[in-house]
């Protein structure tokens, strides 16, 4: 299997392998197959959540793509379309800024003049002069819907964001609406607003709930049909009940059923196959209320799970031995589980840009009462590593040969360990003080949460416990990880940010926050800035001291979270996590450009092909032969379940 599948603009597309799939028995293959169909069937939902006109845009661009032209303008068009596929809309998946097309309006107009209803998915409505004007603006007018998720503190976050969660509303109106909804609700624990769009109808604010009877009905009905097929092959009764609750949630849109589903999903630990399917993460909404749709089908990786289970079994030990203040610790950690899995199918907000680890559910009260379930996507991170070893990246940004050798020797093993610790110990740890709302930190909430999880990983990785438990061969592996983390946080991750921009994305803010904070706290001695031949490097001089600094920061971040201290969260994030030194940024981008490596990565799904005999599936075959554009066009044909124009 060839790992690198495509490369365009700032993105590379890799393949991932599902080792051993062919040896599964038919029942498990069928379970995976139907869950995978349910994962792909939600694709249009995310597109529409990302922007009201995204499906219209996709239909028209794909129809143009079928014209199959040639030349420079055409090549630019194909790159533009590939970027839109990647981001499920015209805004960059990371920066959320609108893409700037590399082709001219003239070219677009000449291609569009050749379109007719019936080409691709085009209907007469796609091509009304009104819609054509709209698309011109969407593609070429930089001031029209410029940003999908606007987090800047001095704007109205709702009006400044191009996402499709709110219409004709202000931030105040939205916040007030959900404050009242919660106040009037009998069950105040529900994740109010998680699965709906908020609109204004004749001056009244109304919620359009996602359900089989509401918004996204067609896609959710299709997902449910696949889930009903999957039910027949569930591995055990807990799994069966979990799927039934999800079906009921999609049928009704009732948030209490989603909570029931999450709780049941948590208890379902026995099977080898598991899935994520639902309205899960709220990063796409600057207010952190609305969740985007995502799906993953996963199958256990036996050896890595053995290691992860060791960590899970010691979760309580980690909590009691963490440097946080005792009043912010959980008395006893229950229900923490951690599985290493191989992804089989990615969908919605997990495709093509896939996470490396997942910790769910997100509802704080469920996490506190029932714990959380964590997974590490082993085959995804292995693909990352394989692809990164031959790029020259380490050689450019690492000062010494010893450090490079450490990276090559221990990079993969310590990265997997960090992900285990981040997901299980990190996100699972700590508690809120009574009366503190989980939304108290507002737009800084996810950065603080990610920092907390990363710091747990960083702190515990460099402890003798790791060696005692057989998780690391020596502290050198932890040193390799510290080197990599500091290098990334202070230097290399800004290759993903455009010159002059600030850091916006929660995970990136968290990494810079941590690295910059310990750099300053160590007075430039614990970590030293070194300039050689005009190139900037960071060298860790004292690993023991750095370990202690990580512990101090962890204690402070946990305090901020537990107390819901918004002012401190804002201060620490804005001071350390947001701004980039322009001179350094320029230098790093220049060094990076020379290497010619795209900073972002996405993944193609394998193809699962059912083999029929007498109308029955008698086998499911896996193959990795598809290419990026083919997979996208195939998905647009097979899973096009929502109307572009409503
Ligand atoms: Zn995390």
């Amino acid at each position: 299997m060839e790992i690198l599948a495509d490369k365009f603009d700032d993105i590379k597309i890799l393949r991932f392998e599902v080792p051993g799939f062919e040896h599964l028995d038919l029942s498990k293959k069928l379970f995976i197959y139907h869950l995978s169909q349910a994962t792909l069937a939600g694709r249009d939902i995310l597109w529409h959540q990302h922007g009201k006109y995204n499906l219209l845009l996709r239909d028209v661009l794909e129809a143009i793509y079928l014209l199959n032209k040639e030349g420079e303008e055409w090549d630019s068009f194909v790159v533009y379309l590939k970027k839109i596929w990647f981001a499920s809309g015209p805004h960059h998946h990371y920066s959320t800024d609108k893409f700037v097309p590399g082709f001219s309006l003239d070219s677009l107009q000449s291609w569009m003049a050749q379109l007719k209803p019936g080409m691709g998915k085009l209907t007469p409505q796609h091509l009304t002069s009104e819609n054509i004007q709209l698309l011109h603006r969407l593609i070429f007018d930089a001031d029209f819907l410029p940003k999908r998720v606007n987090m800047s503190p001095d704007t109205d976050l709702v009006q400044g964001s191009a996402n499709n969660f709110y219409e004709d509303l202000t931030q105040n109106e939205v916040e007030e609406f959900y404050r009242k909804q919660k106040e009037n609700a009998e069950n105040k624990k529900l994740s109010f607003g998680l699965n709906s769009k908020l609109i204004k109808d004749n001056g009244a604010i109304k919620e359009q709930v996602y359900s089989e009877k509401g918004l996204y009905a067609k896609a959710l009905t299709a997902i449910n049909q696949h889930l009903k097929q999957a039910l027949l092959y569930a591995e055990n009764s807990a799994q069966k009940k979990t799927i039934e609750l999800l079906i009921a949630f999609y049928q009704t849109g009732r948030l209490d059923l989603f909570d029931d589903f999450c709780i049941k999903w948590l208890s379902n630990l026995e099977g080898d196959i598991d899935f994520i399917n639902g309205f899960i993460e709220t990063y796409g909404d600057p207010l952190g209320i609305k969740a985007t749709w995502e799906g993953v089908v996963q199958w256990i990786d036996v050896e890595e799970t053995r290691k992860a289970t060791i960590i899970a079994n010691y979760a309580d030990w980690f909590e009691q031995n963490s440097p946080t203040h005792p009043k912010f610790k959980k008395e006893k950690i229950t229900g923490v589980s951690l599985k290493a899995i191989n992804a089989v199918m990615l969908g919605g907000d997990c495709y093509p840009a896939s996470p490396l680890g997942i910790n769910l559910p997100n509802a704080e009260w469920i996490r506190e009462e029932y714990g959380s379930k964590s997974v590490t996507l082993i085959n995804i991170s292995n693909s990352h590593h394989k692809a990164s070893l031959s790029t020259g990246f380490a050689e450019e940004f690492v000062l010494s040969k010893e450090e490079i050798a450490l990276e090559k020797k221990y990079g993969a093993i310590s990265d997997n360990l960090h992900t285990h610790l981040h997901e299980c110990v990190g996100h699972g740890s700590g508690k809120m003080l009574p009366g503190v709302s989980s939304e108290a930190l507002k737009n800084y909430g996810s950065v603080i949460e990610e920092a907390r999880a990363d710091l747990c990983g960083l702190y515990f990785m460099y402890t003798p416990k790791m060696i005692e438990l057989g998780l690391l061969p020596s502290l050198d592996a932890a040193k390799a990880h510290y080197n990599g983390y500091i290098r990334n946080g202070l230097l290399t991750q800004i290759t993903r940010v455009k010159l002059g921009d600030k850091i916006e994305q929660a995970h990136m803010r968290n990494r810079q926050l941590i690295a910059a904070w310990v750099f300053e706290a160590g007075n430039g001695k614990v970590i030293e800035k070194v300039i050689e031949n005009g190139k900037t490097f960071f060298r860790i001089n004292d690993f023991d001291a750095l370990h202690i600094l990580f512990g101090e920061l962890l204690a402070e971040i946990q305090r901020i979270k537990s107390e819901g201290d918004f002012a401190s969260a804002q201060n620490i994030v804005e001071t350390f996590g947001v701004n980039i030194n322009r001179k350094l940024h320029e230098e790093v981008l220049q060094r990076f450009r020379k290497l010619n490596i795209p900073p972002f990565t996405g993944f193609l799904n394998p193809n699962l092909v059912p083999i029929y005999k007498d109308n029955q599936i008698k086998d499911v075959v896996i193959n990795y032969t598809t290419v990026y554009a083919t997979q996208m066009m195939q998905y647009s044909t097979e899973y096009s379940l929502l109307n572009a124009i409503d």
Side-chain angles (χ1 to χ4, degrees):
M1 184 190 74
E2 198 172 336
I3 289 196
L4 183 67
D6 206 345
K7 210 169 140 175
F8 49 89
D9 198 60
D10 57 354
I11 285 160
K12 59 181 174 300
I13 302 287
L14 307 180
R15 295 188 176 88
F16 62 86
E17 210 166 354
V18 189
F21 179 87
E22 48 281 1
H23 303 306
L24 283 169
D25 64 45
L26 182 59
S27 168
K28 293 199 177 186
K29 281 182 182 172
L30 286 169
F31 190 38
I32 289 177
Y33 174 74
H34 291 297
L35 289 173
S36 294
Q37 292 293 313
T39 299
L40 297 172
R43 180 173 184 252
D44 281 2
I45 296 176
L46 180 75
W47 279 77
H48 197 256
Q49 287 182 308
H50 273 186
K52 195 179 173 187
Y53 311 114
N54 288 5
L55 291 170
L56 172 70
L57 176 70
R58 192 184 76 194
D59 284 356
V60 171
L61 295 183
E62 287 179 351
I64 294 175
Y65 182 73
L66 293 172
L67 297 173
N68 205 10
K69 304 278 180 183
E70 280 176 353
E72 251 177 64
E73 286 281 283
W74 180 257
D75 293 343
S76 296
F77 166 78
V78 172
V79 168
Y80 180 74
L81 177 56
K82 284 182 172 181
K83 287 159 68 172
I84 286 185
W85 278 328
F86 192 89
S88 305
H91 302 93
H92 193 277
H93 75 292
Y94 228 74
S95 73
T96 82
D97 291 331
K98 195 156 83 172
F99 296 130
V100 179
F103 53 89
S104 66
L105 180 58
D106 278 355
S107 297
L108 181 74
Q109 281 171 326
S110 82
W111 296 322
M112 281 180 78
Q114 298 167 52
L115 299 180
K116 291 186 186 69
M119 296 168 98
K121 288 192 291 292
L122 297 186
T123 64
Q125 289 97 306
H126 282 87
L127 300 172
T128 61
S129 57
E130 202 186 337
N131 280 332
I132 288 173
Q133 281 310 313
L134 177 71
L135 290 177
H136 288 172
R137 281 187 77 197
L138 188 57
I139 297 171
F140 286 100
D141 181 351
D143 297 326
F144 180 58
L145 302 174
K147 201 166 178 66
R148 179 164 58 81
V149 187
N150 195 332
M151 299 287 267
S152 114
D154 47 2
T155 44
D156 184 303
L157 301 183
V158 167
Q159 299 209 318
S161 299
N163 60 31
N164 190 22
F165 297 124
Y166 310 101
E167 206 158 315
D168 306 323
L169 290 159
T170 65
Q171 182 178 348
N172 270 338
E173 286 175 311
V174 172
E175 285 173 342
E176 187 58 12
F177 179 88
Y178 284 111
R179 196 189 57 74
K180 274 199 196 133
Q181 197 179 66
K182 186 172 178 175
E183 196 177 279
N184 296 332
E186 223 171 282
N187 177 357
K188 299 199 190 307
K189 291 173 168 176
L190 300 177
S191 304
F192 298 99
L194 188 78
N195 63 331
S196 65
K197 178 175 175 178
L198 211 57
I199 59 158
K200 225 178 221 174
D201 186 14
N202 279 327
I205 303 178
K206 281 201 180 133
E207 224 177 3
Q208 296 181 318
V209 175
Y210 310 150
S211 82
E212 276 199 34
K213 293 187 231 71
L215 195 53
Y216 304 145
K218 249 180 105 185
L220 292 169
T221 305
I223 293 172
N224 267 352
Q225 277 162 356
H226 294 302
L227 290 176
K228 284 172 194 165
Q229 289 291 308
L231 263 186
L232 306 173
Y233 305 99
E235 294 172 286
N236 54 56
S237 60
Q239 226 169 32
K240 197 158 171 264
K241 185 72 196 156
T242 307
I243 296 171
E244 284 167 351
L245 282 166
L246 182 60
I247 292 171
F249 166 62
Y250 284 150
Q251 279 168 342
T252 60
R254 270 171 47 194
L255 286 166
D256 58 320
L257 287 172
F258 184 64
D259 285 347
D260 292 346
F261 157 73
C262 289
I263 292 164
K264 197 71 202 168
W265 178 81
L266 274 176
S267 75
N268 170 24
L269 301 171
E270 299 305 315
D272 292 344
I273 295 157
D274 204 353
F275 67 94
I276 290 159
N277 193 304
F279 301 96
I280 309 286
E281 299 293 351
T282 57
Y283 300 108
D285 175 5
L287 300 185
I289 296 171
K290 307 285 171 196
T292 48
W293 189 89
E294 68 179 42
V296 179
V297 182
Q298 58 213 42
W299 173 42
I300 192 166
D301 181 320
V302 178
E303 174 51 23
E304 278 295 328
T305 295
R306 194 188 62 78
K307 287 191 201 163
T309 307
I310 297 174
I311 293 176
N313 290 342
Y314 278 85
D316 198 51
W317 183 92
F318 288 118
E319 180 75 341
Q320 303 322 323
N321 287 275
S322 120
T324 55
H325 192 283
K327 70 179 167 185
F328 306 137
K329 288 183 200 284
K330 286 200 173 93
E331 284 75 31
K332 179 99 188 129
I333 291 212
T334 50
V336 179
S337 82
L338 199 147
K339 262 186 194 176
I341 55 110
N342 287 311
V344 187
M345 197 60 65
L346 307 169
D349 221 355
C350 294
Y351 170 85
S354 162
L356 296 175
I358 299 169
N359 176 286
L360 291 172
N362 284 328
E364 198 67 43
W365 75 271
I366 300 180
R367 301 169 72 86
E368 283 182 17
E369 279 180 41
Y370 298 90
S372 59
K373 193 152 84 176
S374 285
V375 294
T376 302
L377 287 75
I378 296 297
N379 57 345
I380 298 286
S381 74
N382 287 348
S383 269
H384 263 293
H385 265 285
K386 273 187 205 159
S388 72
L389 280 176
S390 53
T391 56
F393 190 71
E395 285 77 2
E396 176 61 38
F397 290 100
V398 174
L399 197 54
S400 72
K401 286 210 171 63
E402 294 74 37
E403 198 177 319
I404 294 179
L406 275 186
E407 170 68 27
K408 295 210 159 152
K409 191 165 175 192
Y410 297 118
I413 168 177
S414 64
D415 264 15
N416 280 340
L417 181 63
H418 178 89
T419 311
H420 293 333
L421 288 165
H422 171 111
E423 294 297 336
C424 170
V425 180
H427 285 306
S429 70
K431 68 172 182 194
M432 314 288 283
L433 289 187
V436 174
S437 154
S438 54
E439 285 107 50
L441 302 181
K442 295 186 187 170
N443 46 325
Y444 299 104
S446 18
V447 184
I448 293 296
E449 177 56 23
E450 290 311 318
R452 204 169 74 87
D454 261 6
L455 283 161
C456 273
L458 289 163
Y459 180 78
F460 285 115
M461 179 165 294
Y462 190 80
T463 55
K465 197 77 183 168
M466 292 298 117
I467 294 152
E468 185 195 316
L469 295 176
L471 296 167
L472 283 184
S474 75
L475 283 187
D476 278 353
K479 287 182 182 172
H481 192 72
Y482 276 19
N483 286 330
Y485 197 93
I486 295 300
R487 191 193 320 137
N488 187 44
L490 290 177
L491 207 56
T492 55
Q493 75 164 356
I494 54 176
T495 55
R496 300 172 174 198
V497 181
K498 270 206 312 240
L499 189 63
D501 282 4
K502 294 179 176 207
I503 299 179
E504 310 255 2
Q505 205 269 350
H507 290 85
M508 283 180 73
R509 283 185 165 189
N510 125 57
R511 290 184 209 116
Q512 178 171 302
L513 185 168
I514 292 173
W517 190 95
V518 292
F519 176 69
E520 188 169 299
N523 291 320
K525 290 190 185 112
V526 175
I527 300 166
E528 190 182 343
K529 184 174 174 178
V530 183
I531 315 261
E532 250 187 43
N533 303 323
K535 291 178 177 178
T536 307
F537 299 89
F538 289 91
R539 179 172 63 207
I540 300 172
N541 289 329
D542 188 340
F543 286 91
D544 293 348
L546 181 55
H547 168 71
I548 291 166
L549 290 176
F550 282 140
E552 284 171 14
L553 183 57
L554 173 55
E556 170 62 3
I557 294 284
Q558 181 63 56
R559 181 197 67 74
I560 291 172
K561 166 111 184 170
S562 291
E563 293 179 354
D565 181 350
F566 177 80
S568 295
Q570 182 174 40
N571 182 43
I572 200 165
V573 174
E574 294 289 342
T575 307
F576 295 101
V578 175
N579 298 307
I580 307 173
N581 176 307
R582 191 179 168 99
K583 211 168 143 260
L584 180 66
H585 200 183
E586 237 163 335
E587 177 204 315
V588 167
L589 287 177
Q590 202 200 4
R591 288 161 71 184
F592 184 68
R593 255 193 308 272
K594 275 197 223 138
L595 298 171
N596 212 5
I597 317 164
F600 299 104
T601 308
F603 291 86
L604 281 187
N605 281 320
N607 284 327
L608 295 182
V609 187
I611 309 289
Y612 287 90
K613 194 182 173 188
D614 305 327
N615 277 327
Q616 296 265 348
I617 302 180
K618 71 164 172 72
D619 197 7
V620 180
V621 178
I622 194 164
N623 75 56
Y624 310 95
T625 52
T626 198
V627 294
Y628 179 63
T630 310
Q631 183 155 87
M632 288 298 178
M633 290 299 278
Q634 182 203 337
Y635 286 178
S636 290
T637 306
E638 290 176 19
Y639 306 101
S640 188
L641 290 159
L642 298 179
N643 287 332
I645 298 144
D646 39 35

